[in-house]
Amino acid sequence: MEVLGIDIGGSGIKGAIVNTKTGELVSERHRIPTPKPATPKNVANTIKEITDHFNWTGKVGCCFPTPLTHGKCQSGGNLHDTWKGVQVDELFGEKTGLKFTVINDADAAGEAEMSFGAGKGKKGLVIIITLGTGIGSGVFFNGDLLQNTELGHVTYKSEPFEIYAADSARKRDGLNYKQWGKRLNKYFNHVNLILSPDLFIIGGGASKKLYKFIEYIDIDTPIIPAENKNEAGIIGAALAAEIGIK
Ligand code: BGC
């Protein structure tokens, strides 16, 4: 089965056609910079550009950088305040005439990893943490997703931890990997204490650079990189549309 997967991020909106049986991309990725401001109207226009680019008429799975319940956005997140309360699947559906399934980006990345990547066949409590503009989380127990966890929003000094430890914080504060790794050490110890998972998987752009900071994270729980890297959101979103997560 082929589904168009779209990953909406703070800097780019990326789409590709995914074979949902194998998790492979069967087209080139098409990327358009996220419009500024990233309002619902502007982003919907970009989504239409992507579906038009692929001349797509089938199902679309889309992942989005905020928590969503049944396709409805629960916060403006890192995109724009006006997203809160928007029924995102309907907005994109009306704009394109196509059927959309929209889920949180870290949940989507986690789905891709559990089905086709580093989490495949892993039992117990597996937590994917995506390190990018924000910190996202996908929590799986025996392969089943607990949707919309927001482990980037546990607090540190009264602020969401992601402000202190996301990849964007590394760039903003000009940190080297040792300095960033020490911040991540505090973060992973905190999450580890709360949930005692069996495995952490690191996703987002930082998964490729894990070897640069892993030595500073001192916990007993294994930490491994995601295998689908930048494509995990696209693949997981397509999968969600195929198996009907809402
Ligand atoms: C949002 C999450 C999202 C993460 C990564 C956070 O700011 O609250 O929903 O998964 O960023 O994009």
Side-chain angles (χ1 to χ4, degrees), residues 163-177 180 183 209 213:
I163 293 182
Y164 177 69
D167 199 27
S168 55
R170 176 183 67 81
K171 293 176 187 155
R172 181 196 63 218
D173 295 342
L175 305 178
N176 61 32
Y177 282 97
W180 189 41
R183 291 190 184 190
K209 298 176 259 173
F213 56 83

Side-chain angles (χ1 to χ4, degrees), residues 60-118:
V60 188
C62 189
C63 72
F64 200 77
T66 72
L68 300 123
T69 42
H70 311 292
K72 187 175 185 177
C73 182
Q74 301 302 315
S75 86
N78 293 314
L79 282 181
H80 197 269
D81 287 346
T82 52
W83 279 100
K84 189 168 182 194
V86 173
Q87 191 69 42
V88 186
D89 49 357
E90 284 176 13
L91 172 73
F92 296 165
E94 279 159 20
K95 183 76 196 177
T96 60
L98 301 174
K99 182 166 168 20
F100 273 76
T101 300
V102 184
I103 67 164
N104 173 262
D105 55 359
D107 285 350
E111 283 289 353
E113 288 306 311
M114 296 307 287
S115 300
F116 307 112

Side-chain angles (χ1 to χ4, degrees), residues 65-67 78 104-106 130 134-137 150 153 162:
T66 72
N78 293 314
N104 173 262
D105 55 359
T130 62
I135 293 182
S137 57
E150 285 287 325
H153 286 255
E162 65 177 7

